[in-house]
Amino acid sequence: GNIPMELTEGDLICIMSQFGEIEDTNLVRDEETGKSRGFAFIKYEDARSCILAVDNFAGSQVLNRYIRVDHVDKYRLPKHLLEKDEKKKKNDGYYGPAGGSSDTP
């Protein structure tokens, strides 16, 4: 939290990737204006990277603002990405594991 409004998703990736491989970045924006709301969610590939980011980056300054970094228990993809993912699965013919052992219908 407290992310400078002028930072982009790319800026966040550049800054936060020093702690590990980033799997997903969600810079929360105002739906009407598209402007940053000053906070984001970053999902790392592993828990170790997340711990490093929280331990080493919390309280750091970026563009004269102190950044808040914390853990999220259960990360959820943003709604628009969930819908896109569901649509892709449907178009690809994926409906879940068949018989519990296969990923194809």
Side-chain angles (χ1 to χ4, degrees):
N2 204 29
I3 297 169
M5 302 300 184
E6 57 268 24
L7 289 187
T8 65
E9 287 87 347
D11 296 329
L12 288 174
I13 289 170
C14 287
I15 294 168
M16 302 305 289
S17 64
Q18 64 185 310
F19 302 108
E21 194 68 32
I22 294 176
E23 202 171 280
D24 183 57
T25 303
N26 177 19
L27 178 60
V28 179
R29 297 181 177 277
D30 183 274
E31 289 184 22
E32 292 181 18
T33 65
K35 292 182 180 179
S36 169
R37 291 183 52 201
F39 65 99
F41 296 93
I42 296 174
K43 182 180 183 209
Y44 287 98
E45 280 190 351
D46 56 41
R48 181 180 164 272
S49 297
C50 182
I51 292 167
L52 284 171
V54 171
D55 289 350
N56 293 293
F57 201 68
S60 296
Q61 275 193 20
V62 175
L63 299 175
N64 297 319
R65 294 182 83 163
Y66 288 97
I67 305 299
R68 290 188 306 270
V69 182
D70 209 344
H71 299 276
V72 173
D73 287 332
K74 295 187 180 188
Y75 180 80
R76 293 179 302 167
L77 285 174
K79 186 177 176 181
H80 70 281
L81 290 179
L82 277 174
E83 291 168 354
K84 184 178 174 182
D85 191 44
E86 288 299 317
K87 188 180 286 187
K88 182 180 181 330
K89 286 179 183 178
K90 186 176 181 181
N91 290 338
D92 290 347
Y94 178 82
Y95 298 102
S101 62
S102 174
D103 286 342
T104 57

